[in-house]
Amino acid sequence: MDEELERAIALSLQESGAAPISQPIEIDDSDGEDETEETRFQEQLRRAIEASKAESSTTNFAPSAAESARETPSAPFLSERAKLEKERLERLKRIRGDSDHEESSAPPAKSSAPTTRSESKGKEKQVNTSPIDQLFWEGELRPVANRHTDPRPDGKPVFRLTEILGHKSDIAFAIISSYSTSVSWIYEFFDRSTPVIIVGQPDESGQAGIKNILPNWTLTVPFLRNGRGCMHMKFMLLFYKSGRLRVVISTANLVDYDYRDIENAMWLQDLPLRLTPIAHDPKIVDDFPSLMQDVLRAVNVRHALTNMLCNEHPGLPLQSINELRMKWDWSKVKVKLVPSIAGKHEGWPNIIHTGHTRLMKAIRDMGLRTGKGKSAKDLVIECQGSSIGTYSTQWMNEFHWSARGETASDWLDEPRTRRTKLPWPPVKVVFPSAKTVKETVLG
């Protein structure tokens, strides 16, 4: 992580002009003739626009675009310098009162696809959108593009990281979470001024903590009892300047190879800002936003949020964890959230808010409970998991019971000695063999 931070800091300094870059623009602060100033500015602006066009024409998946940006850092620098020079000339005109001088301007760089967006009552409308501008008010589940299956043989749509995030200049605030993170890599997908809270895995001590790792970036890690367990959740909460919130649940870690080489999937949904916030209701604890708020508290986001609000970012769109449910309209979210929070969970209803007992509650809410008859016996489950060597017949039967939508209170009445001797239930655990691994693209 320290090496990643050093690289991210170096990139930040490089973009700010503290490190040498290719093709520097000479900027003269002297009060020369307007015509000379204008000619110089137009040449600089032309170069910046050409660099911007070249960068926007890239059609590869997101990581390649990011890698290209790393290899040619002059493009964003040229664009920023041209902007600064334009602002300087405008200030110079105002000071001199040179109202007769007409400043010509180069035409704006064209968008890669025709896109029209407008906002109405906190909800954006879209017409003829390019992939990066698409909005998903009903929710969407897609595989993530990677270089080995792009385009997909079946022609089905995929998500790229740039499309998931959208235009970086539109993001007002972000909360992102990942078990494994390349900070320097994901840092490039955000504007340097955007405040970001990133959730990660704690060290061996398992102690919770927060740390300002970069300008406007705070790392937070949760408490893990005796250092056991892991923070394995991968999600994003993206708050946009328009008021919209995008919720993202992912299987991909925030590392380049997960988006470049590995098969992953992504669910996301856009939520409009409510016209008027609703009151906090402590009795509602089981819907999607309430469980998401529990997740944020469990992974120590609350303290990181307080730290940001009390220091450099008092105007964040999210002022408290409870506002997540109060300020955004979740009425169109139909999926069920099944978080897995490391730790010891005791008491009802706490145990049905996480893990396979939460799966049980979700299946019941969806009306898919099998009961204890033939449907229960015929239910065959295929699943994927880690730590396969620790699976026991007792745990697998409890998992199968929950997957059928049957309450844990039923099997809890059975003596533990009897539960440990149960036969294996009809559960198929999918795992890669050594042969499968060796035959993959990366071997």
Side-chain angles (χ1 to χ4, degrees), residues 129-176:
T129 55
S130 64
I132 198 172
D133 290 303
Q134 281 188 306
L135 303 178
F136 301 92
W137 301 112
E138 305 296 331
E140 186 84 0
L141 173 66
R142 293 182 183 179
V144 176
N146 67 70
R147 65 177 176 177
H148 310 292
T149 58
D150 186 24
R152 284 171 57 93
D154 57 14
K156 291 183 178 180
V158 295
F159 280 134
R160 292 171 175 79
L161 185 55
T162 49
E163 298 166 1
I164 295 162
L165 296 173
H167 297 283
K168 62 170 68 176
S169 60
D170 291 345
I171 302 174
F173 174 48
I175 300 172
I176 57 179

